[in-house]
């Protein structure tokens, strides 16, 4: 091959590559709007599975006007305060936080984490689609927090107490146990009222804390336990179901205001797809996760109605704790919502 021909081939090759790059860049940048969604969980988590459904729907329904970018495992922001700050600044569009985590910047949201309020998935989902969520959305906006609550989904079933060496059958068994909690006040107060010692530890450090005896138990959903391989240390679970694992999804209000009404509606519809996909994964994987726990040598205890009532009675002062800190209004609305949902379900 002559040098001239080789040179021409190289030139044509570079032109072809440039065209491909140009086409790629055009396809990436042709969207009018970009929605960046970040989660701290991995790509195996139900939150991410839900976001995949959100992305598929929003991009298709908007006919390419919206591009959705997903960031898992804390790639975009590493903590709740950092992520919420990014939403407020308009550099991130979507982020979820648990009810307890939300308490760090909007304390009344902890009402959703009061123990032994919800008794079934249907009841919890009904309440979390109702007026209490609308009031939270309005109050957060009225308080100028610059974030919008677009909806609530389940992020792992129900929280239960799990321990490394001592089986829990009643509240007395928890006394003196070092139980890991999140930094949320309500999580720590519940453990304290049940006679155990709350120990706030980050999720990333929990595996080591259980292995070294820094804590003797935790309060998590079964899928979180299996996902983090905590079954290697946690050997007992009591299905007390003290709280429904709700996660609140926030959208940047500065960005929301820039979206046309039709795109806002597509985002809302996309969240419905997200919620359905996440809930379906929780429902299908929960039973499998309990099986994995037992296969790893774990023991699952299913308390009777009377035994569950013992836990509820032992933590009854949680209601007064909430009233003392945040007043009656949110608790009254929660109670009314539960009653209305019970009536509609029955």
């Amino acid at each position: 091959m002559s040098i001239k021909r080789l040179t021409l081939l190289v030139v044509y090759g570079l032109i072809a590559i440039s065209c491909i790059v140009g086409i790629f860049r055009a396809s990436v940048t042709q969207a009018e709007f970009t929605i960046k969604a970040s989660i701290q969980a991995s790509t195996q988590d139900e939150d991410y599975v839900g976001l995949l459904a959100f992305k598929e729907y929003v991009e298709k329904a908007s006919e390419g006007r919206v591009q959705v970018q997903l960031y898992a495992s804390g790639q975009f922001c590493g903590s709740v305060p950092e992520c919420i700050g990014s939403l407020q600044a308009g550099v991130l569009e979507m982020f979820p936080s648990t009810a307890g985590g939300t308490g760090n910047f909007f304390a009344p949201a902890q009402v959703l984490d009061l123990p032994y309020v919800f008794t079934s998935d249907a009841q919890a989902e009904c309440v979390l689609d109702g007026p209490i969520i609308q009031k939270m959305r309005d109050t957060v906006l009225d308080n100028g927090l610059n974030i919008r609550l677009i909806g609530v989904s389940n992020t792992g079933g129900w929280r239960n107490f799990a321990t490394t060496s001592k089986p829990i059958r009643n509240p007395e068994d928890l006394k003196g146990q070092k139980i890991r909690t999140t930094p949320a006040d309500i999580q720590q107060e519940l453990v304290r009222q049940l006679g155990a010692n709350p120990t706030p530890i980050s999720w990333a450090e929990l595996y080591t804390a259980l292995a070294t005896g820094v804590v003797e138990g935790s309060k998590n959903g079964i899928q979180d336990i299996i996902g983090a391989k905590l079954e290697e240390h946690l050997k007992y679970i009591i299905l007390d179901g003290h709280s429904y694992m709700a996660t609140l999804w926030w959208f940047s209000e500065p960005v929301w205001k820039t979206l046309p009404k039709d795109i806002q509606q597509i985002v809302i519809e996309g969240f419905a797809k997200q919620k359905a996909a996440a809930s379906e994964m929780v429902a299908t994987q929960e039973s499998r996760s309990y099986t994995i726990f037992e296969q790893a040598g774990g023991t699952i205890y299913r308390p009777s109605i009377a035994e569950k009532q013992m836990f509820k009675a032992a933590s009854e002062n949680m209601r007064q704790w909430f009233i003392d800190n945040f007043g009656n209004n949110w608790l009254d609305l929660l109670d009314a919502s539960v009653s209305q949902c019970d009536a509609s379900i029955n």
Side-chain angles (χ1 to χ4, degrees):
M1 183 182 295
S2 68
I3 294 177
K4 180 178 180 181
R5 186 178 180 187
L6 178 60
T7 302
L8 287 173
L9 286 175
V10 171
V11 170
Y12 289 147
L14 290 173
I15 292 173
I17 291 172
S18 298
C19 290
I20 292 172
V21 170
I23 293 172
F24 175 76
R25 285 176 176 170
S27 66
V28 169
T29 59
Q30 68 182 357
E32 295 177 51
F33 308 98
T34 300
I35 294 176
K36 299 179 292 297
S38 175
I39 61 172
Q40 293 178 303
S42 73
T43 56
Q44 308 303 311
D45 191 85
E46 58 277 346
D47 286 348
Y48 191 82
V49 171
L51 281 177
L52 289 175
F54 174 84
K55 174 181 172 69
E56 179 182 11
Y57 178 83
V58 169
E59 292 183 343
K60 183 176 180 180
S62 69
E63 298 181 337
R65 293 173 63 197
V66 180
Q67 181 191 52
V68 179
Q69 299 174 357
L70 307 183
Y71 298 87
S73 302
Q75 291 176 330
F76 193 96
C77 45
S79 66
V80 172
E82 181 186 354
C83 295
I84 294 299
S86 296
L87 293 179
Q88 293 169 325
V91 297
L92 176 67
E93 281 70 37
M94 283 180 66
F95 175 74
S97 63
T98 62
T102 300
N104 293 322
F105 58 90
F106 181 63
Q110 295 178 93
V111 71
L112 301 178
D113 246 359
L114 282 171
Y116 310 108
V117 170
F118 300 129
T119 56
S120 70
D121 290 275
Q123 180 203 58
E125 290 166 9
C126 174
V127 171
L128 297 175
D129 277 333
I132 194 167
I133 299 305
Q134 183 59 51
K135 181 177 180 180
M136 285 189 183
R137 179 180 298 115
D138 294 341
T139 305
V140 167
L141 289 172
D142 290 344
N143 287 352
L145 294 182
N146 241 11
I147 53 177
R148 173 178 293 267
L149 179 57
I150 61 171
V152 182
S153 66
N154 185 273
T155 183
W158 296 79
R159 281 195 185 89
N160 301 297
F161 284 105
T163 48
T164 55
S165 58
K166 181 181 179 180
I168 307 299
R169 299 288 184 267
N170 56 64
E172 289 292 320
D173 293 333
L174 277 168
K175 287 190 174 179
Q177 291 280 295
K178 293 177 291 185
I179 302 296
R180 179 263 178 181
T181 71
T182 69
D185 292 340
I186 195 168
Q187 301 268 351
Q188 297 179 60
E189 184 63 23
L190 170 61
V191 170
R192 192 176 294 115
Q193 287 197 16
L194 291 175
N197 298 320
T199 309
I201 290 178
S202 71
W203 180 249
E205 297 173 344
L206 179 53
Y207 182 94
T208 301
L210 289 168
T212 57
V214 172
V215 291
E216 301 162 295
S218 187
K219 48 198 294 303
N220 295 106
I222 185 62
Q223 286 172 243
D224 286 339
I225 289 174
I226 299 303
K229 299 188 181 301
L230 302 183
E231 76 276 9
E232 295 177 6
H233 304 297
L234 293 170
K235 295 303 176 184
Y236 300 96
I237 293 177
I238 177 170
L239 303 185
D240 67 300
H242 53 269
S243 64
Y244 185 81
M245 294 186 65
T247 190
L248 290 75
W249 284 85
W250 302 95
F251 201 96
S252 170
E253 184 63 8
V255 176
W256 183 262
K257 290 178 178 178
T258 68
L259 301 179
K261 293 294 184 183
D262 62 326
I263 298 298
Q264 290 178 353
Q265 183 59 35
I266 287 173
V267 170
I268 293 171
E269 293 167 359
F271 178 75
K273 302 291 185 183
Q274 172 184 334
K275 179 175 180 177
S279 295
E280 181 179 0
M281 181 176 179
V282 170
T284 56
Q285 294 295 320
E286 191 170 37
S287 177
R288 176 176 174 271
S289 295
Y290 280 122
T291 298
I292 293 173
F293 183 82
E294 290 182 309
Q295 289 174 343
T299 299
I300 300 170
Y301 184 72
R302 295 169 174 81
S304 65
I305 294 176
E307 287 171 324
K308 279 192 174 185
Q309 186 58 39
M310 292 172 63
F311 281 91
K312 186 174 183 178
S315 60
E316 62 182 357
N317 287 333
M318 288 297 300
R319 293 174 64 88
Q320 189 59 51
W321 173 86
F322 186 87
I323 292 171
D324 291 343
N325 285 277
F326 312 113
N328 288 301
N329 291 341
W330 288 100
L331 184 55
D332 290 345
L333 182 55
L334 177 65
D335 289 340
S337 298
V338 169
S339 296
Q340 290 169 4
C341 285
D342 283 344
S344 65
I345 293 170
N346 293 333

